[in-house]
Amino acid sequence: MKVFDIALKDLLRALRNTFFLAFGLVFPLLMAGIFHFAFGGLGDDGGVPQVRIQFASLDETGPEYGHFSAGEMLFQLLDSEELADLLQVTPSLDIESARAAVDNQEADVAVIVPAGFTAAVFDPDGRASIELYQDPTLMLGPAIVGDIVSSFVDTFAGSKITAGLAYDLIAEQGAAATEETLQDVSSRYAHWAIELKKEAGANSLIEFRSPSGDDKPAGGAVSMVALVMAGMMVFYVFFTGAASAQSILQEEEDGTLSRLFTTPTPQSTILGGKFISIFVLLVFQVVVLLAVSSLFFEIAWGDPLPVALATLGLVVVAASFGIFITSLLKDTRQTGIVYGGVMTVAGMIGMSSVFTGGASGPMDTVSLIVPQGWGVLAWRLLLEGGGLSDVLFPVAVTLALGVGFFVIGVLKFKKRFA
Amino acid sequence: MNDKAIQAQDLHKNFGDIRAVQGVSFDVCAGEIFSLLGPNGAGKSTIISMLSCLLEPVQGDARVMGHSIKSEQMAVKAAIGVVPQEIALYEDLSARENLNFWGKMYGLRGAALKQRVDEVIEVIGLTERQKGRVSKFSGGMKRRLNIGIALLHRPRVLILDEPTVGIDPQTRRNILDSIKELNQRGMAVLYTTHYMEEAQELSDHIAIMDHGKIIASGTHDELVELVGELDRIDLVINTESERVMAQWQAAKGVHQITAENGKITLLVDDSNVVLPRLFESASREGARITSVEIQEPNLEAVFLHLTGRALRD
């Protein structure tokens, strides 16, 4: 079959092309690799590294507070099972040794609870500050701990307001509101609020999950490395699609396309062979990127069937978009503008949702104005633990877009060579 | 069986307002080398493109081995081997990979393909370098491979569009010898060139083209007869003088005079008689002849005679 002979020839040429090897395979892996090492290196789940905490508490309690200790409560929160993947908490005997651990880089941050912290919680006018002593070279870990501690302190601020309100209401009812009642309301509110937050997962920063897994519900946060890899894959697959379609223009300029037209080979066979090679090359590229990223970055892309569907959608839309965009060009001199401009800008818009870390936002919507955005969406859903039903819609959109681009591109090429 | 390999009848082709080919008709007999000779832009390549089914004539038709270029394109393409003017090869493939691929495009498969590729590699002298990437080849090697591809399917008609443009004399010699050899094996050859010497050496029949038309056609001797026994003298003088030119134009035995790029060309009855008169006239006007070149009647002179212009690159 001549159509496969042509496709095979184009594939052979592409695989001998350093441009394809660099832009198609090396660059996307390199970019993801940079993020991988920046966010924790090899050996863990590719997410944020564990934050080492030295916890020193000078807090006191007593019977007047029902033996409730706010400092102890903070320790239990930081040392809880839910945060075990993220935080490694070590109790410290005193403030100095906690700080020394940070100075010696044995800990990333020291959480120091002052004396009278519990008393300040129960006293409507009481004040006490938790000190965070951190390694100045670190950004992310201390920021996470700070966020958790702030959230904890906010809870007690709420409890004070609640207790005050309860006290006023009881007084209005004519009942006697004692100091013990007030403390009891405050303490129970704090416990309730913290438990509620845990259940609702209201604090997004303390609920880190693996890219996928049976116990990971859809919609959770995913590893930045996995998201970047998905974005880079989509970006460069579109790039490869356009660069491969460029071979039609290149052959036209080299005279080999005209020569092919002088052989007893139908024009549809010649163009068909070239289109097949583009599709096959992109499938090869995606499979290699998925396999290598899975192996080296430990990215779990999801179940085979939805992954296959997402691959199909991405390959079809990227190849077709390449054929379409190339059909608009007069010659290879114009490809620099298109690749450097249109493809790059469209790719960046499509990838914009990657940099929001998978959280919903306006960039998600903006990214969908370009076909790359739909490709990224399908892969992001997979990384968030989505299944077949989740990726069906974005895959259907990519396939529909792909068919549209392909038809227009083919018609333009047929007209060009008629 | 028709003994005409190519029959072109009243071919016309326009590109916008440009009438590239205007009513061209000619026949190429089986086993004949037929040359289209003319300057760049004469319409030679457009005719080749039409005969190769790359362009469709707006008027007229041609038959290649009895098949119409309009209605039987696949049969025409199967009968011809085309050597384009520019080298059309995949430089990132080896010579053998190129031949294998193009052989498949001509419908060869399996053992037949392998055998034919082996034969062609030997014919074009690339046995030692058959596995080398074409990008590493010299210009001459690429030219030979460019021709070899057109021979893979043993075409009945070989069409070569200025295959010697921009190559060294040794490679040109090899190519011309190869074409003669192929022709001796019975292949009809349609050859386009703007080199008068090539057309003269190779051709059984020559059609001289200018501005999209065939202005003369015949064997070399028949064409030369068009200018009679006129000699051609090319002169250079040390000063531009209209008076000298006027005197030479009026001189006895001078039939035609043209000046182009500092060189003056005259068609004369007998150069031995006319030349002293030219020196004398120049001397009278204070001019000095610095260069003289005399040529017997040839195709260059025919073109000059027919168009009033020299056959230039």
Side-chain angles (χ1 to χ4, degrees):
Chain A
M1 289 281 285
K2 288 182 182 178
V3 71
F4 294 118
D5 294 328
I6 293 167
L8 205 62
K9 177 264 298 175
D10 278 0
L11 284 171
L12 184 62
R13 297 184 70 205
L15 293 175
R16 285 180 180 173
N17 188 335
T18 48
F19 178 87
F20 167 72
L21 294 175
F23 278 83
L25 301 176
V26 176
F27 275 28
L29 289 169
L30 191 66
M31 294 299 288
I34 290 169
F35 274 82
H36 180 68
F37 285 107
F39 282 91
L42 295 167
D44 61 16
D45 63 357
V48 177
Q50 212 174 31
V51 185
R52 297 168 302 169
I53 299 173
Q54 283 284 319
F55 190 91
S57 177
L58 304 179
D59 192 25
E60 299 145 345
T61 183
E64 66 270 34
Y65 307 121
H67 297 287
F68 170 80
S69 168
E72 177 62 21
M73 192 176 182
L74 176 59
F75 178 80
Q76 286 172 1
L77 172 67
L78 296 174
D79 198 36
S80 65
E81 199 177 319
E82 290 88 343
L83 296 176
D85 288 343
L86 183 65
L87 308 178
Q88 181 191 8
V89 186
T90 306
S92 191
L93 293 174
D94 51 53
I95 297 172
E96 285 70 29
S97 58
R99 286 176 178 158
V102 173
D103 292 339
N104 298 332
Q105 296 189 321
E106 292 164 358
D108 301 321
V109 60
V111 177
I112 299 165
V113 180
F117 181 58
T118 300
V121 166
F122 286 102
D123 180 357
D125 301 319
R127 286 185 178 277
S129 297
I130 295 175
E131 180 187 346
L132 295 180
Y133 185 77
Q134 69 174 81
D135 182 340
T137 63
L138 299 175
M139 299 289 288
L140 193 58
I144 291 169
V145 174
D147 193 68
I148 296 170
V149 172
S150 295
S151 176
F152 177 82
V153 171
D154 287 347
T155 301
F156 278 107
S159 77
K160 287 167 81 170
I161 294 167
T162 305
L165 186 61
Y167 186 88
D168 290 344
L169 284 172
I170 292 169
E172 281 176 15
Q173 298 293 321
T178 64
E179 190 71 19
E180 288 74 24
T181 309
L182 194 61
Q183 288 172 6
D184 186 46
V185 169
S186 183
S187 170
R188 284 164 66 180
Y189 174 85
H191 275 290
W192 171 82
I194 287 171
E195 289 305 316
L196 182 70
K197 282 192 175 187
K198 280 185 185 176
E199 287 171 16
N203 193 337
S204 61
L205 274 177
I206 63 173
E207 195 171 350
F208 278 77
R209 295 173 180 163
S210 298
S212 67
D214 294 336
D215 59 341
K216 309 299 188 293
V222 296
S223 153
M224 178 58 88
V225 177
L227 277 173
V228 168
M229 185 65 224
M232 287 296 155
M233 181 169 70
V234 171
F235 183 89
Y236 282 102
V237 165
F238 268 81
F239 223 86
T240 306
S244 304
Q246 186 203 337
S247 76
I248 299 171
L249 301 183
Q250 191 62 57
E251 283 215 43
E252 189 180 17
E253 289 171 19
D254 292 345
T256 46
L257 194 64
S258 290
R259 188 165 206 168
L260 272 170
F261 289 149
T262 69
T263 67
T265 310
Q267 190 192 77
S268 56
T269 302
I270 295 168
L271 291 178
K274 299 198 78 65
F275 296 154
I276 287 172
S277 77
I278 298 169
F279 284 102
V280 173
L281 189 67
L282 296 195
V283 169
F284 172 77
Q285 183 185 15
V286 173
V287 169
V288 169
L289 291 178
L290 290 178
V292 173
S293 61
S294 192
L295 191 67
F296 287 101
F297 307 142
E298 299 174 354
I299 297 173
W301 291 100
D303 294 331
L305 185 59
V307 165
L309 261 183
T311 301
L312 177 72
L314 174 60
V315 166
V316 167
V317 74
S320 304
F321 190 67
I323 291 165
F324 163 73
I325 206 102
T326 307
S327 73
L328 303 176
L329 305 179
K330 283 184 179 173
D331 51 47
T332 54
R333 285 190 297 277
Q334 295 182 336
T335 57
I337 301 164
V338 171
Y339 295 169
V342 178
M343 295 298 292
T344 304
V345 170
M348 294 304 289
I349 292 171
M351 277 206 310
S352 57
S353 64
V354 165
F355 300 111
T356 64
S360 298
M363 290 317 292
D364 280 11
T365 310
V366 171
S367 72
L368 298 181
I369 64 173
V370 292
Q372 286 92 332
W374 290 96
V376 170
L377 177 61
W379 289 102
R380 212 182 73 197
L381 289 171
L382 282 174
L383 289 171
E384 289 172 356
L388 190 62
S389 58
D390 297 306
V391 297
L392 271 181
F393 182 65
V395 168
V397 173
T398 54
L399 288 174
L401 287 172
V403 169
F405 287 134
F406 185 76
V407 169
I408 297 170
V410 168
L411 288 176
K412 286 192 74 71
F413 272 124
K414 282 188 81 71
K415 187 179 174 187
R416 182 192 192 112
F417 298 124
Chain B
M1 179 68 193
N2 194 333
D3 70 340
K4 295 282 194 295
I6 300 174
Q7 292 172 285
Q9 293 176 338
D10 196 28
L11 290 174
H12 286 75
K13 185 67 188 177
N14 303 331
F15 296 110
D17 294 334
I18 300 169
R19 299 167 72 187
V21 174
Q22 306 174 55
V24 167
S25 300
F26 62 90
D27 291 343
V28 179
C29 294
E32 179 182 58
I33 298 181
F34 187 103
S35 289
L36 290 172
L37 174 68
N40 289 333
K44 308 183 300 292
S45 293
T46 305
I47 290 174
I48 296 290
S49 293
M50 286 191 280
L51 294 174
S52 309
C53 306
L54 290 175
L55 294 175
E56 191 165 339
V58 291
Q59 187 181 321
D61 195 1
R63 291 192 166 272
V64 179
M65 300 310 295
H67 304 292
S68 165
I69 60 170
K70 281 184 163 179
S71 57
E72 300 168 278
Q73 295 194 345
M74 283 300 134
V76 170
K77 290 176 179 181
I80 62 173
V82 181
V83 180
Q85 184 173 343
E86 301 298 329
I87 291 171
L89 303 168
Y90 297 111
E91 301 235 338
D92 41 12
L93 300 184
S94 70
R96 189 171 194 92
E97 286 168 340
N98 264 284
L99 290 167
N100 269 324
F101 171 73
W102 290 104
K104 287 173 185 172
M105 292 302 103
Y106 283 111
L108 298 173
R109 284 284 183 276
L113 173 65
K114 184 182 180 306
Q115 184 189 346
R116 191 62 191 138
V117 167
D118 286 339
E119 288 171 2
V120 169
I121 283 175
E122 197 173 334
V123 166
I124 60 178
L126 289 177
T127 308
E128 300 295 320
R129 299 290 303 275
Q130 59 179 294
K131 290 181 181 172
R133 293 270 177 95
V134 172
S135 56
K136 307 284 184 192
F137 283 10
S138 67
M141 290 163 76
K142 289 178 184 175
R143 282 280 172 196
R144 280 185 275 156
L145 183 57
N146 204 36
I147 293 173
I149 285 168
L151 306 176
L152 280 164
H153 59 304
R154 300 180 196 278
R156 305 287 298 279
V157 180
L158 183 63
I159 298 174
L160 302 104
D161 189 9
E162 308 210 35
T164 59
V165 170
I167 59 171
D168 60 274
Q170 188 183 352
T171 306
R172 175 185 288 192
R173 184 72 264 149
N174 287 339
I175 289 173
L176 296 181
D177 289 343
S178 300
I179 292 167
K180 286 181 197 170
E181 195 179 322
L182 291 166
N183 174 246
Q184 282 164 7
R185 295 179 191 175
M187 197 180 286
V189 177
L190 176 60
Y191 190 91
T192 74
T193 183
H194 58 260
Y195 296 127
M196 178 266 298
E197 304 86 356
E198 288 183 3
Q200 188 169 324
E201 178 184 340
L202 281 178
S203 312
D204 299 309
H205 201 106
I206 300 164
I208 298 177
M209 290 195 69
D210 193 35
H211 296 309
K213 294 177 181 173
I214 291 179
I215 54 174
S217 179
T219 63
H220 174 260
D221 291 343
E222 287 169 349
L223 289 171
V224 168
E225 276 181 20
L226 292 174
V227 288
E229 295 299 318
L230 300 180
D231 288 347
R232 172 178 157 164
I233 302 173
D234 291 325
L235 292 169
V236 178
I237 57 176
N238 66 342
T239 178
E240 283 187 22
S241 169
E242 288 185 5
R243 291 178 61 181
V244 173
M245 291 284 285
Q247 289 207 20
W248 285 356
Q249 177 78 64
K252 191 178 176 186
V254 174
H255 286 259
Q256 192 171 348
I257 181 167
T258 57
E260 197 171 328
N261 298 328
K263 189 163 98 173
I264 301 165
T265 302
L266 301 97
L267 293 180
V268 301
D269 283 331
D270 184 344
S271 56
N272 290 327
V273 175
V274 173
L275 200 54
R277 293 175 190 157
L278 302 181
F279 272 97
E280 191 181 326
S281 304
S283 179
R284 264 204 310 274
E285 296 300 329
R288 189 161 55 86
I289 296 171
T290 58
S291 164
V292 178
E293 194 177 332
I294 301 169
Q295 287 185 354
E296 296 293 313
N298 59 21
L299 295 173
E300 187 82 40
V302 175
F303 191 83
L304 183 70
H305 175 72
L306 293 173
T307 65
R309 290 179 290 114
L311 181 60
R312 305 269 179 227
D313 287 0

